[in-house]
Amino acid sequence: MANIHDVARRAKVSVMTVSRVINQSGYVKEETRQRVLKAMEEENYVPNALARNFATQRTWTVALIVADITNPFFTTVARGTEDMLQKSGYRLILCNSDDDPKKEEEYIDMCISIRVEGVVIAPSGDHAKGNLQKLMKHSVPFVCIDRKVEGIHTDLIIGDNIAGSRELVQHLIDLGHRHIAMVSGPESISTGRERIEGYRLA
């Protein structure tokens, strides 16, 4: 497997010059840069991401932690998130928590350990508060999607579950139905509580 020294020899430049081209740091003549890129291609050289991250103090990585990737809603969220991140030069790590706070905590510990630059998370429920506080303690930016956790003040991307549930039930009432049951998610998750509230309001 080729290394940075092989690329430098082939391009007839210093290792430092190759490093500058890889990390896009410092000045390199365009002619020299093209020579290095060509040498990298000829040597089938793949830069060491860990070394690059160490040099730039950036990982260009964002984690998406969802409850269940088989849920079509989260599948759509994952696709949209990846598409937007890729446009900005970031990579996505996808984590499936199964609404298990322990599994969620393990993923958050991993995110902190590998120095992701941000986390997009559908919290596992009210018991996720400690996990989100851990992200805050380690200064990892995060956004909550689909669900909110009381006592955590962060950016949220959520739907109006109360209004949506109320409108659905009202539609059944308008059709003449009177005995309307409600099957909801766990009340430890904000979406479950809000949907029940909309049902009761209707």
Side-chain angles (χ1 to χ4, degrees):
M1 179 181 288
N3 58 44
I4 195 169
H5 297 280
D6 298 324
V7 173
R9 273 194 296 271
R10 182 179 283 267
K12 296 182 173 56
V13 297
S14 69
V15 170
M16 180 60 74
T17 299
V18 176
S19 178
R20 284 177 178 163
V21 172
I22 293 170
N23 296 314
Q24 298 178 5
S25 62
Y27 174 74
V28 180
K29 288 182 181 177
E30 181 59 24
E31 178 188 346
T32 305
R33 192 179 76 84
Q34 290 300 327
R35 200 162 73 243
V36 170
L37 292 174
K38 183 180 179 184
M40 288 171 62
E41 185 178 349
E42 290 172 349
E43 291 286 344
N44 291 316
Y45 173 70
V46 178
N48 182 323
L50 288 176
R52 181 181 179 188
N53 294 345
F54 181 77
T56 63
Q57 296 295 299
R58 299 289 304 270
T59 62
W60 297 99
T61 303
V62 171
L64 172 64
I65 304 175
V66 298
D68 180 5
I69 194 58
T70 64
N71 180 328
F73 170 75
F74 289 122
T75 303
T76 303
V77 167
R79 183 55 196 257
T81 304
E82 182 187 32
D83 288 348
M84 292 307 295
L85 287 172
Q86 190 176 37
K87 288 178 183 177
S88 300
Y90 287 84
R91 295 165 295 181
L92 179 70
I93 296 175
L94 179 60
C95 310
N96 192 76
S97 74
D98 292 320
D99 275 334
D100 178 348
K102 182 62 179 171
K103 190 174 180 183
E104 179 182 73
E105 182 180 19
E106 290 171 358
Y107 279 129
I108 284 175
D109 287 345
M110 177 200 73
C111 290
I112 294 168
S113 175
I114 66 174
R115 306 292 191 269
V116 299
E117 298 202 33
V119 174
V120 179
I121 182 171
S124 59
D126 294 340
H127 34 249
K129 185 174 181 179
N131 290 336
L132 299 179
Q133 287 174 330
K134 185 180 283 191
L135 287 173
M136 295 168 76
K137 180 181 177 183
H138 289 272
S139 302
V140 179
F142 66 94
V143 175
C144 287
I145 59 169
D146 188 48
R147 304 154 174 195
K148 58 187 175 184
V149 176
E150 294 300 324
I152 296 294
H153 303 288
T154 187
D155 290 323
L156 295 168
I157 303 173
I158 54 176
D160 191 339
N161 289 288
I162 297 173
S165 177
R166 184 176 185 173
E167 288 177 20
L168 287 169
V169 177
Q170 188 61 53
H171 175 67
L172 293 175
I173 291 171
D174 292 344
L175 292 174
H177 300 289
R178 292 296 176 266
H179 301 287
I180 302 168
M182 173 69 172
V183 180
S184 181
E187 289 193 60
S188 62
I189 297 176
S190 63
T191 50
R193 290 194 300 271
E194 291 168 355
R195 289 167 187 167
I196 290 172
E197 184 179 346
Y199 164 80
R200 286 175 175 154
L201 286 170

